[in-house]
Amino acid sequence: MTSLFEYAPAPESRSIVDIRPSYGLFVDGEFTDGTGTPLKTVNPATEEVLSEVATGSDADVDRAVRAARRAFVKVWGPMRPADRGKYLFRIARLLQERAREFAVLETLDNGKPIRESRDVDVPLAAAHFFYHAGWADKLEHAGLGPAPRPLGVAGQVIPWNFPLLMLAWKIAPALATGNTVVLKPAETTPLTALLFAEICQQADLPPGVVNIVTGAGETGRAVISHPDVDKVAFTGSTEVGRAIARAVAGTEKRLTLELGGKAANIVFDDAPIDQAVEGIVRGIFFNQGHVCCAGSRLLVQESVHDDVVAALQRRIGTLRVGDPMDKNTDLGAINSAEQLARIRELTAFGETEGATCWQPDGDLPDRGFWFKPTVFTDVSPAHRIARDEVFGPVLSVLTFRTPDEAVAKANNTTYGLSAGIWSEKGSRILKVTDQLRAGVVWANTFNEFDPTSPFGGYKQSGYGREGGRQGLAAYLRSDS
Amino acid sequence: MSDRLTVRKTYKLYLGGAFPRSESGRTYEVLDSRGHFLANAAWASRKDGRDAVVAARGAFPKWSGATAYNRGQVLYRVAEVMEGRAAQFAEEVAAGEGLSAAKARAAVDAAIDRWVWYAGWTDKLAAVLGSTNPVAGPYFGFSVPEPTGVVAVLAPQRSSLLGLVSVLAPVLAAGNTAVVVSSKERPLPAITLGEVLATSDVPGGVVNLLTGDAAEIGPWLAEHADVDAVDLAGAPAPLAMELERSAAGTIKRVLRAPAEEPDWSADPGLSRLRPFLETKSVWHPIGV
């Protein structure tokens, strides 16, 4: 990308992290071999193979579930709640102490900019453990009756977009409420979960309380369909969520799903444009747009459309796309060749269907998986790029004239995870917020997360909440 | 004994605030607990189910948008009208469930009291289930419970009034609109409840009561893309599993069927309100 001046490279050193040539599964407190065919995990920015990781077969998953059950019955269940909390506090501290190591490893394995893994993913993961640690001995105050009880063994499957953060979102509440877990990380991003296993060892967490079984779809299926799993928690695509809901139907297993989204980011004509543009950029280009709650549908009031689009394109022209390990990088690599192909396929539809595609000038690195920040204008609500989740740095711009039309267009989706509103008028923000069918609404900001704030979707974006008092319900049985 | 010939009642559906016959023209025989003929009830079809969903969707913005105070008033009004028709309900419950007059009356009283209990929840849910969120940043964050949308309810098969009220009232108190398939064998209290609802300020379409067979209409409701949640209370085990599987296609919220019909007189707590509420979390910057 040409620019008035170039920043000198500011690379983060990778020497802080030792990546082993191969990793096993973490079962019953130890690293063990997996009996499936090992998989290779690559750095999406360079296509360099980082490590070989074991794959859990049905038998391995069974071993992990047995270990989790044993730990639940013998150790974790009977333990004093305050002590469970202390283990979680220890984990939170250990994560903070090794924050830089986790950030570097996350960026190498996932392709996200080091700025984001360092400032968002890792600190938030630690915050989730801190927050839930405090709940462990206060569950009778959670509003779920006087004596809520854990469910047992939780089988958890998480995606590749926020590997460590999603792990924290799943494991922290499960452990705080007295459950034990078998977690399957995504096949393209298993490394920080395996480093987390070391944290569990350093914390002296009793064996079997946390088990990490790496692998792909088959391993995930084995985890969710294991008969001795009491609770299934999944974050990922709506398509897989449907299959999981079907698989769990008719069983006693409890289920929560955090699925896709197609968030509307609504800009009213009285919004401060520069601030809104920052929010739009943050909404869609954060984490390369690999965000289920990404603001992928920009709804701009017609009277300011041209100004907003011009300011947006100017701003996008200053974004730095490239080496994720460089601290100046804004957009890193697309997580996998597969995801890159999917983004290309969906954006191709955009042009075929008549929308106008815009990308900034500049070159992309020769190796690795890359996609330029992309803006589609002249988009109509029927276009696939306005309906399907692209899960990449691709923004669709639509217009509206009245608040009612904005709400109608925003709600015109099968999803309902998040939305954004940009306006100076507080009464308008509250009215529109009230009418939007979405689980999270950001006013004059976007993509904010906090463990105290419950997160989750309406409609086909899933069910259940993560975080806050409301999120605890997913892991507790209660009499009221 | 007077030799007056009684006026018999024709039982119909309650759909979109009106009382139509089934579009299919079908009826079925309703018998009392000893097998004697009581009435012919409308036998709702798949199309009636679809019409009911359209009515429920249409009524959703107004009902969910009403103030909690107003919803509570309207629901309390239902209890008032039920009280006035308690004798009729008791007669129907006694005939259908084979209860003594005293026990039937007790079930009706419990149903009315249950309705009152839920009427009082409308303006408390936000305080009890919502929160302000002390996020680590300059934002005012809060979470509010909101209704899920259109809920398809398969009413309990045995408890024809108390069971029905126990599953319907929480759906409404939470601000949802409902499509209810009544007990197949014992539909009469449901029909009478429809007449109560129609005269209780409940807007048309908020509740749609279909008499008929859950096994026939249930699958269409479980698959319907405009139904947001299903309550499988009255679905027998094999059907419940099939419906749960169908509901997965559109990621519906599912309240599973209990292994067997529970004792509806027990305190339900929030267990039937929570499943039909969403949590919306709002972030607003704090500044000057």
Side-chain angles (χ1 to χ4, degrees):
Chain A
M1 228 163 282
T2 51
S3 155
L4 194 59
F5 56 92
E6 274 301 327
Y7 289 179
E12 172 66 270
S13 163
R14 59 183 287 177
S15 65
I16 191 168
V17 62
D18 289 322
I19 301 176
R20 292 187 230 156
S22 72
Y23 287 87
L25 313 172
F26 183 65
V27 175
D28 211 10
E30 291 172 2
F31 285 96
T32 71
D33 292 340
T35 50
T37 316
L39 54 88
K40 291 184 167 54
T41 187
V42 303
N43 178 343
T46 60
E47 299 180 56
E48 160 207 8
V49 173
L50 293 170
S51 183
E52 191 173 89
V53 176
T55 298
S57 64
D58 287 9
D60 298 321
V61 169
D62 185 56
R63 214 152 43 88
V65 173
R66 279 168 201 273
R69 174 65 59 192
R70 243 184 347 262
F72 174 69
V73 173
K74 298 209 161 131
V75 189
W76 199 245
M79 187 181 288
R80 286 179 54 230
D83 288 344
R84 281 203 299 260
K86 281 198 217 162
Y87 277 111
L88 291 181
F89 279 123
R90 277 189 189 178
I91 291 172
R93 274 284 189 251
L94 288 164
L95 274 174
Q96 288 177 323
E97 285 161 11
R98 299 177 67 175
R100 189 147 154 254
E101 196 180 339
F102 271 98
V104 168
L105 187 59
E106 192 78 318
T107 285
L108 290 174
D109 202 19
N110 170 280
K112 64 174 68 203
I114 186 74
R115 194 166 51 80
E116 290 178 3
S117 53
R118 181 192 66 194
D119 297 348
V120 181
D121 297 62
V122 179
L124 262 179
H128 271 266
F129 278 98
F130 262 106
Y131 174 75
H132 285 98
W135 267 123
D137 55 358
K138 301 167 191 70
L139 295 174
E140 68 272 26
H141 301 291
L144 294 162
R149 302 179 306 284
L151 300 171
V153 175
Q156 308 178 316
V157 176
I158 57 169
W160 46 260
N161 58 341
F162 293 94
L164 181 70
L165 183 58
M166 291 300 106
L167 171 148
W169 281 30
K170 293 283 180 290
I171 292 184
L175 298 195
T177 47
N179 301 275
T180 56
V181 308
V182 176
L183 176 128
K184 190 202 82 79
E187 67 265 37
T188 62
T189 55
L191 295 184
T192 42
L194 294 164
L195 187 59
F196 179 81
E198 284 181 26
I199 295 277
C200 295
Q201 289 179 325
Q202 287 189 333
D204 280 332
L205 191 70
V209 173
V210 168
N211 303 275
I212 306 219
V213 182
T214 44
E218 277 307 310
T219 310
R221 237 185 305 273
V223 170
I224 63 130
S225 57
H226 193 288
D228 205 30
V229 161
D230 302 291
K231 160 66 219 170
V232 171
F234 171 75
T235 294
S237 73
T238 294
E239 189 190 341
V240 177
R242 274 189 200 108
I244 290 176
R246 233 171 250 132
V248 166
T251 69
E252 295 285 307
K253 288 180 183 138
R254 296 255 301 259
L255 174 65
T256 44
L257 298 170
E258 296 287 351
L259 309 175
K262 193 74 192 175
N265 202 359
I266 308 169
V267 179
F268 286 98
D269 59 7
D270 66 340
I273 295 222
D274 289 343
Q275 200 186 324
V277 163
E278 286 306 308
I280 295 162
V281 166
R282 182 193 181 117
I284 185 62
F285 301 126
F286 174 59
N287 203 37
Q288 295 73 246
H290 302 327
V291 185
C292 49
C293 51
S296 53
R297 281 186 301 151
L298 179 64
L299 297 181
V300 189
Q301 197 151 16
E302 208 173 76
S303 50
V304 292
H305 172 270
D306 295 353
D307 293 346
V308 169
V309 170
L312 183 62
Q313 290 177 347
R314 205 161 48 235
R315 176 66 180 92
I316 292 171
T318 67
L319 291 177
R320 286 158 189 279
V321 186
D323 182 7
M325 290 290 279
D326 190 318
K327 290 169 204 156
N328 295 322
T329 292
D330 297 302
L331 256 81
I334 300 301
N335 181 250
S336 63
E338 203 186 340
Q339 183 59 25
L340 180 59
R342 184 170 162 70
I343 295 169
R344 284 187 175 143
E345 186 196 335
L346 278 165
T347 45
F349 272 111
E351 292 193 275
T352 333
E353 291 184 332
T356 308
C357 180
W358 179 90
Q359 291 182 324
D361 295 332
D363 300 322
L364 293 173
D366 299 331
R367 298 189 61 202
F369 316 126
W370 305 94
F371 200 83
K372 279 190 183 178
T374 302
V375 178
F376 278 104
T377 48
D378 306 314
V379 178
S380 99
H383 287 168
R384 276 193 72 178
I385 45 165
R387 312 193 70 82
D388 292 7
E389 186 179 39
V390 179
F391 222 65
V394 179
L395 181 70
S396 294
V397 186
L398 298 97
T399 59
F400 67 90
R401 290 183 180 176
T402 63
D404 283 349
E405 193 190 344
V407 168
K409 281 189 169 163
N411 288 338
N412 180 18
T413 165
T414 56
Y415 295 113
L417 188 51
S418 62
I421 304 171
W422 298 84
S423 169
E424 280 288 31
K425 200 171 169 188
S427 60
R428 172 181 286 163
I429 287 173
L430 291 174
K431 175 80 184 287
V432 173
T433 296
D434 196 43
Q435 294 174 324
L436 291 172
R437 302 286 293 162
V440 185
V441 180
W442 288 291
N444 291 325
T445 182
F446 210 96
N447 275 342
E448 301 282 354
F449 307 95
D450 193 278
T452 66
S453 185
F455 180 94
Y458 282 40
K459 302 198 272 185
Q460 295 193 34
S461 287
Y463 38 75
R465 292 294 179 270
E466 293 183 292
R469 182 165 63 83
Q470 294 84 345
L472 297 170
Y475 290 96
L476 289 168
R477 208 183 295 284
S478 77
D479 298 322
S480 71
Chain B
M1 198 65 183
S2 145
D3 54 4
R4 176 177 174 269
L5 190 65
T6 54
V7 176
R8 278 197 183 160
K9 187 173 159 187
T10 298
Y11 289 89
K12 295 191 281 189
L13 308 174
Y14 177 52
L15 213 163
F19 295 93
R21 295 188 165 82
S22 169
E23 63 77 36
S24 65
R26 299 178 305 175
T27 60
Y28 69 104
E29 283 193 356
V30 178
L31 308 176
D32 71 12
S33 59
R34 292 189 207 132
H36 297 132
F37 177 80
L38 281 177
N40 286 308
W43 185 357
S45 67
R46 167 190 176 186
K47 172 89 168 30
D48 294 320
R50 273 168 32 199
D51 291 346
V53 173
V54 170
R57 174 59 61 196
F60 180 71
K62 188 175 172 194
W63 183 245
S64 60
T67 63
Y69 180 46
N70 181 234
R71 272 207 304 277
Q73 296 260 298
V74 170
L75 292 182
Y76 182 71
R77 175 77 186 141
V78 175
E80 289 179 330
V81 180
M82 282 179 82
E83 189 81 40
R85 295 177 71 158
Q88 184 190 352
F89 277 120
E91 205 176 295
E92 289 166 350
V93 168
E97 299 181 29
L99 299 178
S100 69
K103 281 194 172 157
R105 180 61 208 223
V108 172
D109 291 348
I112 297 171
D113 292 353
R114 173 76 30 96
W115 199 283
V116 171
W117 191 73
Y118 278 114
W121 263 117
T122 58
D123 52 4
K124 290 154 197 81
L125 286 170
V128 172
L129 299 179
S131 54
T132 53
N133 309 319
V135 298
Y139 298 97
F140 174 56
F142 59 96
S143 295
V144 285
E146 292 188 345
T148 292
V150 173
V151 182
V153 179
L154 304 185
Q157 295 297 322
R158 249 183 329 124
S159 180
S160 57
L161 183 67
L162 178 57
L164 171 68
V165 164
S166 298
V167 295
L168 174 60
V171 166
L172 301 183
N176 301 284
T177 56
V179 175
V180 185
V181 183
S182 75
S183 163
K184 185 175 182 211
E185 310 278 324
R186 305 172 183 86
L188 303 192
I191 298 159
T192 303
L193 183 66
E195 293 170 3
V196 166
L197 292 164
T199 50
S200 307
D201 308 327
V202 178
V206 169
V207 182
N208 303 277
L209 286 160
L210 306 174
T211 50
D213 190 352
E216 181 186 338
I217 312 167
W220 300 109
L221 296 174
E223 272 179 22
H224 200 301
D226 216 15
V227 171
D228 300 291
V230 282
D231 180 347
L232 300 178
L239 175 66
M241 178 167 168
E242 182 200 315
L243 297 184
E244 201 180 325
R245 202 170 276 160
S246 309
T250 45
I251 316 289
K252 283 182 179 59
R253 287 85 179 106
V254 176
L255 184 55
R256 285 178 177 150
E260 54 188 68
E261 199 169 315
D263 172 11
W264 293 105
S265 62
D267 177 1
L270 299 179
S271 61
R272 304 196 75 85
L273 283 162
R274 270 205 188 88
F276 307 119
L277 287 166
E278 306 295 321
T279 296
K280 179 186 279 174
S281 296
V282 181
W283 293 66
H284 193 294
I286 294 173
V288 287

